[in-house]
PDB file of all heavy atoms in Angstrom:
ATOM      1  N   ALA B  78      65.162   0.521 -65.328  1.00  0.00           N
ATOM      2  CA  ALA B  78      65.927   0.194 -64.118  1.00  0.00           C
ATOM      3  C   ALA B  78      65.967   1.383 -63.166  1.00  0.00           C
ATOM      4  O   ALA B  78      67.036   1.901 -62.833  1.00  0.00           O
ATOM      5  CB  ALA B  78      67.340  -0.246 -64.498  1.00  0.00           C
ATOM      6  N   SER B  79      64.796   1.813 -62.748  1.00  0.00           N
ATOM      7  CA  SER B  79      64.694   3.051 -61.965  1.00  0.00           C
ATOM      8  C   SER B  79      65.454   2.945 -60.643  1.00  0.00           C
ATOM      9  O   SER B  79      65.660   1.861 -60.077  1.00  0.00           O
ATOM     10  CB  SER B  79      63.229   3.376 -61.693  1.00  0.00           C
ATOM     11  OG  SER B  79      62.644   2.367 -60.915  1.00  0.00           O
ATOM     12  N   ARG B  80      65.846   4.129 -60.177  1.00  0.00           N
ATOM     13  CA  ARG B  80      66.573   4.247 -58.911  1.00  0.00           C
ATOM     14  C   ARG B  80      65.825   5.212 -58.012  1.00  0.00           C
ATOM     15  O   ARG B  80      65.057   6.049 -58.498  1.00  0.00           O
ATOM     16  CB  ARG B  80      67.977   4.784 -59.171  1.00  0.00           C
ATOM     17  CG  ARG B  80      68.777   3.972 -60.177  1.00  0.00           C
ATOM     18  CD  ARG B  80      69.992   4.741 -60.656  1.00  0.00           C
ATOM     19  NE  ARG B  80      70.749   4.003 -61.663  1.00  0.00           N
ATOM     20  CZ  ARG B  80      71.718   4.540 -62.389  1.00  0.00           C
ATOM     21  NH1 ARG B  80      72.045   5.806 -62.219  1.00  0.00           N
ATOM     22  NH2 ARG B  80      72.355   3.796 -63.285  1.00  0.00           N
ATOM     23  N   ALA B  81      66.082   5.134 -56.724  1.00  0.00           N
ATOM     24  CA  ALA B  81      65.434   6.060 -55.788  1.00  0.00           C
ATOM     25  C   ALA B  81      65.727   7.513 -56.179  1.00  0.00           C
ATOM     26  O   ALA B  81      64.888   8.401 -56.005  1.00  0.00           O
ATOM     27  CB  ALA B  81      65.902   5.785 -54.370  1.00  0.00           C
ATOM     28  N   ALA B  82      66.908   7.761 -56.725  1.00  0.00           N
ATOM     29  CA  ALA B  82      67.294   9.112 -57.133  1.00  0.00           C
ATOM     30  C   ALA B  82      66.491   9.632 -58.317  1.00  0.00           C
ATOM     31  O   ALA B  82      66.556  10.822 -58.647  1.00  0.00           O
ATOM     32  CB  ALA B  82      68.781   9.157 -57.468  1.00  0.00           C
ATOM     33  N   ASP B  83      65.741   8.763 -58.979  1.00  0.00           N
ATOM     34  CA  ASP B  83      64.885   9.204 -60.090  1.00  0.00           C
ATOM     35  C   ASP B  83      63.594   9.840 -59.585  1.00  0.00           C
ATOM     36  O   ASP B  83      62.813  10.381 -60.379  1.00  0.00           O
ATOM     37  CB  ASP B  83      64.534   8.025 -61.007  1.00  0.00           C
ATOM     38  CG  ASP B  83      65.739   7.458 -61.738  1.00  0.00           C
ATOM     39  OD1 ASP B  83      66.664   8.246 -62.048  1.00  0.00           O
ATOM     40  OD2 ASP B  83      65.766   6.242 -61.990  1.00  0.00           O
ATOM     41  N   THR B  84      63.340   9.747 -58.289  1.00  0.00           N
ATOM     42  CA  THR B  84      62.145  10.359 -57.708  1.00  0.00           C
ATOM     43  C   THR B  84      62.142  11.852 -57.998  1.00  0.00           C
ATOM     44  O   THR B  84      63.065  12.569 -57.621  1.00  0.00           O
ATOM     45  CB  THR B  84      62.102  10.113 -56.190  1.00  0.00           C
ATOM     46  OG1 THR B  84      61.953   8.712 -55.960  1.00  0.00           O
ATOM     47  CG2 THR B  84      60.955  10.869 -55.553  1.00  0.00           C
ATOM     48  N   ALA B  85      61.095  12.313 -58.694  1.00  0.00           N
ATOM     49  CA  ALA B  85      61.009  13.699 -59.122  1.00  0.00           C
ATOM     50  C   ALA B  85      59.707  13.874 -59.893  1.00  0.00           C
ATOM     51  O   ALA B  85      58.965  12.910 -60.101  1.00  0.00           O
ATOM     52  CB  ALA B  85      62.189  14.064 -60.034  1.00  0.00           C
ATOM     53  N   SER B  86      59.436  15.094 -60.309  1.00  0.00           N
ATOM     54  CA  SER B  86      58.340  15.352 -61.242  1.00  0.00           C
ATOM     55  C   SER B  86      58.913  15.477 -62.642  1.00  0.00           C
ATOM     56  O   SER B  86      59.985  16.056 -62.829  1.00  0.00           O
ATOM     57  CB  SER B  86      57.608  16.638 -60.870  1.00  0.00           C
ATOM     58  OG  SER B  86      56.908  16.489 -59.660  1.00  0.00           O
ATOM     59  N   TYR B  87      58.198  14.928 -63.594  1.00  0.00           N
ATOM     60  CA  TYR B  87      58.653  14.932 -64.979  1.00  0.00           C
ATOM     61  C   TYR B  87      57.620  15.662 -65.831  1.00  0.00           C
ATOM     62  O   TYR B  87      56.426  15.385 -65.753  1.00  0.00           O
ATOM     63  CB  TYR B  87      58.852  13.500 -65.480  1.00  0.00           C
ATOM     64  CG  TYR B  87      60.006  12.817 -64.792  1.00  0.00           C
ATOM     65  CD1 TYR B  87      59.835  12.235 -63.535  1.00  0.00           C
ATOM     66  CD2 TYR B  87      61.273  12.788 -65.360  1.00  0.00           C
ATOM     67  CE1 TYR B  87      60.899  11.637 -62.871  1.00  0.00           C
ATOM     68  CE2 TYR B  87      62.342  12.184 -64.712  1.00  0.00           C
ATOM     69  CZ  TYR B  87      62.138  11.609 -63.467  1.00  0.00           C
ATOM     70  OH  TYR B  87      63.203  11.015 -62.812  1.00  0.00           O
ATOM     71  N   PHE B  88      58.114  16.610 -66.624  1.00  0.00           N
ATOM     72  CA  PHE B  88      57.243  17.443 -67.443  1.00  0.00           C
ATOM     73  C   PHE B  88      57.596  17.291 -68.911  1.00  0.00           C
ATOM     74  O   PHE B  88      58.781  17.275 -69.274  1.00  0.00           O
ATOM     75  CB  PHE B  88      57.410  18.915 -67.075  1.00  0.00           C
ATOM     76  CG  PHE B  88      56.949  19.267 -65.695  1.00  0.00           C
ATOM     77  CD1 PHE B  88      57.825  19.197 -64.623  1.00  0.00           C
ATOM     78  CD2 PHE B  88      55.646  19.672 -65.458  1.00  0.00           C
ATOM     79  CE1 PHE B  88      57.411  19.517 -63.342  1.00  0.00           C
ATOM     80  CE2 PHE B  88      55.220  19.995 -64.178  1.00  0.00           C
ATOM     81  CZ  PHE B  88      56.114  19.922 -63.116  1.00  0.00           C
ATOM     82  N   CYS B  89      56.573  17.209 -69.738  1.00  0.00           N
ATOM     83  CA  CYS B  89      56.824  17.353 -71.158  1.00  0.00           C
ATOM     84  C   CYS B  89      56.543  18.812 -71.532  1.00  0.00           C
ATOM     85  O   CYS B  89      55.773  19.501 -70.864  1.00  0.00           O
ATOM     86  CB  CYS B  89      55.970  16.407 -71.992  1.00  0.00           C
ATOM     87  SG  CYS B  89      54.206  16.776 -72.035  1.00  0.00           S
ATOM     88  N   ALA B  90      57.202  19.257 -72.564  1.00  0.00           N
ATOM     89  CA  ALA B  90      57.033  20.626 -73.041  1.00  0.00           C
ATOM     90  C   ALA B  90      57.172  20.616 -74.552  1.00  0.00           C
ATOM     91  O   ALA B  90      58.004  19.896 -75.101  1.00  0.00           O
ATOM     92  CB  ALA B  90      58.067  21.549 -72.409  1.00  0.00           C
ATOM     93  N   VAL B  91      56.343  21.406 -75.202  1.00  0.00           N
ATOM     94  CA  VAL B  91      56.378  21.437 -76.657  1.00  0.00           C
ATOM     95  C   VAL B  91      56.692  22.832 -77.160  1.00  0.00           C
ATOM     96  O   VAL B  91      56.377  23.829 -76.510  1.00  0.00           O
ATOM     97  CB  VAL B  91      55.036  20.969 -77.267  1.00  0.00           C
ATOM     98  CG1 VAL B  91      54.771  19.512 -76.909  1.00  0.00           C
ATOM     99  CG2 VAL B  91      53.880  21.839 -76.831  1.00  0.00           C
ATOM    100  N   ILE B  92      57.365  22.862 -78.291  1.00  0.00           N
ATOM    101  CA  ILE B  92      57.513  24.112 -79.032  1.00  0.00           C
ATOM    102  C   ILE B  92      56.576  24.004 -80.218  1.00  0.00           C
ATOM    103  O   ILE B  92      56.728  23.114 -81.069  1.00  0.00           O
ATOM    104  CB  ILE B  92      58.962  24.346 -79.471  1.00  0.00           C
ATOM    105  CG1 ILE B  92      59.801  24.683 -78.246  1.00  0.00           C
ATOM    106  CG2 ILE B  92      59.029  25.481 -80.491  1.00  0.00           C
ATOM    107  CD1 ILE B  92      61.195  25.160 -78.517  1.00  0.00           C
ATOM    108  N   LEU B  93      55.589  24.871 -80.236  1.00  0.00           N
ATOM    109  CA  LEU B  93      54.571  24.811 -81.274  1.00  0.00           C
ATOM    110  C   LEU B  93      55.136  25.301 -82.596  1.00  0.00           C
ATOM    111  O   LEU B  93      56.047  26.127 -82.632  1.00  0.00           O
ATOM    112  CB  LEU B  93      53.373  25.682 -80.875  1.00  0.00           C
ATOM    113  CG  LEU B  93      52.739  25.362 -79.517  1.00  0.00           C
ATOM    114  CD1 LEU B  93      51.615  26.341 -79.228  1.00  0.00           C
ATOM    115  CD2 LEU B  93      52.240  23.938 -79.487  1.00  0.00           C
ATOM    116  N   THR B  94      54.622  24.782 -83.666  1.00  0.00           N
ATOM    117  CA  THR B  94      55.031  25.249 -84.989  1.00  0.00           C
ATOM    118  C   THR B  94      54.764  26.744 -85.097  1.00  0.00           C
ATOM    119  O   THR B  94      53.651  27.212 -84.815  1.00  0.00           O
ATOM    120  CB  THR B  94      54.229  24.507 -86.076  1.00  0.00           C
ATOM    121  OG1 THR B  94      54.454  23.107 -85.934  1.00  0.00           O
ATOM    122  CG2 THR B  94      54.668  24.959 -87.461  1.00  0.00           C
ATOM    123  N   GLY B  95      55.796  27.506 -85.426  1.00  0.00           N
ATOM    124  CA  GLY B  95      55.650  28.956 -85.491  1.00  0.00           C
ATOM    125  C   GLY B  95      55.690  29.631 -84.142  1.00  0.00           C
ATOM    126  O   GLY B  95      55.412  30.825 -84.020  1.00  0.00           O
ATOM    127  N   GLY B  96      56.063  28.881 -83.117  1.00  0.00           N
ATOM    128  CA  GLY B  96      56.055  29.433 -81.760  1.00  0.00           C
ATOM    129  C   GLY B  96      57.396  29.962 -81.301  1.00  0.00           C
ATOM    130  O   GLY B  96      57.563  30.209 -80.103  1.00  0.00           O
ATOM    131  N   GLY B  97      58.353  30.110 -82.223  1.00  0.00           N
ATOM    132  CA  GLY B  97      59.662  30.583 -81.803  1.00  0.00           C
ATOM    133  C   GLY B  97      60.320  29.588 -80.884  1.00  0.00           C
ATOM    134  O   GLY B  97      60.344  28.392 -81.148  1.00  0.00           O
ATOM    135  N   ASN B  98      60.874  30.085 -79.782  1.00  0.00           N
ATOM    136  CA  ASN B  98      61.506  29.203 -78.813  1.00  0.00           C
ATOM    137  C   ASN B  98      60.681  29.084 -77.541  1.00  0.00           C
ATOM    138  O   ASN B  98      61.185  28.685 -76.505  1.00  0.00           O
ATOM    139  CB  ASN B  98      62.911  29.702 -78.472  1.00  0.00           C
ATOM    140  CG  ASN B  98      63.917  29.315 -79.538  1.00  0.00           C
ATOM    141  OD1 ASN B  98      63.618  28.536 -80.428  1.00  0.00           O
ATOM    142  ND2 ASN B  98      65.102  29.878 -79.449  1.00  0.00           N
ATOM    143  N   LYS B  99      59.399  29.425 -77.603  1.00  0.00           N
ATOM    144  CA  LYS B  99      58.573  29.376 -76.404  1.00  0.00           C
ATOM    145  C   LYS B  99      58.123  27.955 -76.127  1.00  0.00           C
ATOM    146  O   LYS B  99      57.597  27.271 -76.998  1.00  0.00           O
ATOM    147  CB  LYS B  99      57.350  30.277 -76.573  1.00  0.00           C
ATOM    148  CG  LYS B  99      57.686  31.749 -76.632  1.00  0.00           C
ATOM    149  CD  LYS B  99      56.425  32.588 -76.643  1.00  0.00           C
ATOM    150  CE  LYS B  99      55.652  32.421 -77.929  1.00  0.00           C
ATOM    151  NZ  LYS B  99      54.449  33.273 -77.957  1.00  0.00           N
ATOM    152  N   LEU B 100      58.342  27.527 -74.892  1.00  0.00           N
ATOM    153  CA  LEU B 100      57.924  26.203 -74.461  1.00  0.00           C
ATOM    154  C   LEU B 100      56.560  26.272 -73.796  1.00  0.00           C
ATOM    155  O   LEU B 100      56.296  27.182 -73.015  1.00  0.00           O
ATOM    156  CB  LEU B 100      58.920  25.627 -73.457  1.00  0.00           C
ATOM    157  CG  LEU B 100      60.231  25.070 -74.001  1.00  0.00           C
ATOM    158  CD1 LEU B 100      61.175  24.733 -72.859  1.00  0.00           C
ATOM    159  CD2 LEU B 100      59.972  23.832 -74.844  1.00  0.00           C
ATOM    160  N   THR B 101      55.714  25.299 -74.090  1.00  0.00           N
ATOM    161  CA  THR B 101      54.441  25.152 -73.404  1.00  0.00           C
ATOM    162  C   THR B 101      54.496  23.846 -72.625  1.00  0.00           C
ATOM    163  O   THR B 101      54.674  22.781 -73.222  1.00  0.00           O
ATOM    164  CB  THR B 101      53.275  25.127 -74.405  1.00  0.00           C
ATOM    165  OG1 THR B 101      53.295  26.330 -75.179  1.00  0.00           O
ATOM    166  CG2 THR B 101      51.948  25.036 -73.666  1.00  0.00           C
ATOM    167  N   PHE B 102      54.353  23.952 -71.303  1.00  0.00           N
ATOM    168  CA  PHE B 102      54.544  22.800 -70.432  1.00  0.00           C
ATOM    169  C   PHE B 102      53.243  22.099 -70.109  1.00  0.00           C
ATOM    170  O   PHE B 102      52.179  22.716 -70.030  1.00  0.00           O
ATOM    171  CB  PHE B 102      55.192  23.247 -69.112  1.00  0.00           C
ATOM    172  CG  PHE B 102      56.662  23.479 -69.212  1.00  0.00           C
ATOM    173  CD1 PHE B 102      57.147  24.695 -69.654  1.00  0.00           C
ATOM    174  CD2 PHE B 102      57.558  22.489 -68.871  1.00  0.00           C
ATOM    175  CE1 PHE B 102      58.505  24.925 -69.755  1.00  0.00           C
ATOM    176  CE2 PHE B 102      58.919  22.702 -68.965  1.00  0.00           C
ATOM    177  CZ  PHE B 102      59.397  23.920 -69.406  1.00  0.00           C
ATOM    178  N   GLY B 103      53.367  20.795 -69.858  1.00  0.00           N
ATOM    179  CA  GLY B 103      52.266  20.030 -69.316  1.00  0.00           C
ATOM    180  C   GLY B 103      52.239  20.153 -67.803  1.00  0.00           C
ATOM    181  O   GLY B 103      53.038  20.864 -67.201  1.00  0.00           O
ATOM    182  N   THR B 104      51.308  19.426 -67.202  1.00  0.00           N
ATOM    183  CA  THR B 104      51.111  19.526 -65.757  1.00  0.00           C
ATOM    184  C   THR B 104      52.001  18.582 -64.970  1.00  0.00           C
ATOM    185  O   THR B 104      52.085  18.689 -63.755  1.00  0.00           O
ATOM    186  CB  THR B 104      49.647  19.245 -65.393  1.00  0.00           C
ATOM    187  OG1 THR B 104      49.255  18.009 -65.987  1.00  0.00           O
ATOM    188  CG2 THR B 104      48.747  20.354 -65.903  1.00  0.00           C
ATOM    189  N   GLY B 105      52.670  17.649 -65.637  1.00  0.00           N
ATOM    190  CA  GLY B 105      53.676  16.834 -64.974  1.00  0.00           C
ATOM    191  C   GLY B 105      53.191  15.523 -64.406  1.00  0.00           C
ATOM    192  O   GLY B 105      52.009  15.339 -64.113  1.00  0.00           O
ATOM    193  N   THR B 106      54.136  14.600 -64.271  1.00  0.00           N
ATOM    194  CA  THR B 106      53.920  13.317 -63.595  1.00  0.00           C
ATOM    195  C   THR B 106      54.870  13.256 -62.415  1.00  0.00           C
ATOM    196  O   THR B 106      56.071  13.456 -62.567  1.00  0.00           O
ATOM    197  CB  THR B 106      54.211  12.124 -64.529  1.00  0.00           C
ATOM    198  OG1 THR B 106      53.234  12.080 -65.564  1.00  0.00           O
ATOM    199  CG2 THR B 106      54.191  10.817 -63.757  1.00  0.00           C
ATOM    200  N   GLN B 107      54.295  12.996 -61.234  1.00  0.00           N
ATOM    201  CA  GLN B 107      55.137  12.835 -60.043  1.00  0.00           C
ATOM    202  C   GLN B 107      55.529  11.376 -59.913  1.00  0.00           C
ATOM    203  O   GLN B 107      54.675  10.519 -59.711  1.00  0.00           O
ATOM    204  CB  GLN B 107      54.374  13.283 -58.795  1.00  0.00           C
ATOM    205  CG  GLN B 107      54.250  14.784 -58.658  1.00  0.00           C
ATOM    206  CD  GLN B 107      53.643  15.173 -57.320  1.00  0.00           C
ATOM    207  OE1 GLN B 107      52.548  14.764 -56.983  1.00  0.00           O
ATOM    208  NE2 GLN B 107      54.378  15.961 -56.560  1.00  0.00           N
TER     209      GLN B 107
END
Side-chain angles (χ1 to χ4, degrees):
Chain B
S79 63
R80 305 165 182 169
D83 294 328
T84 295
S86 292
Y87 292 82
F88 294 90
C89 70
V91 296
I92 289 190
L93 305 177
T94 302
N98 280 350
K99 292 186 292 182
L100 283 172
T101 302
F102 281 85
T104 52
T106 292
Q107 285 187 302

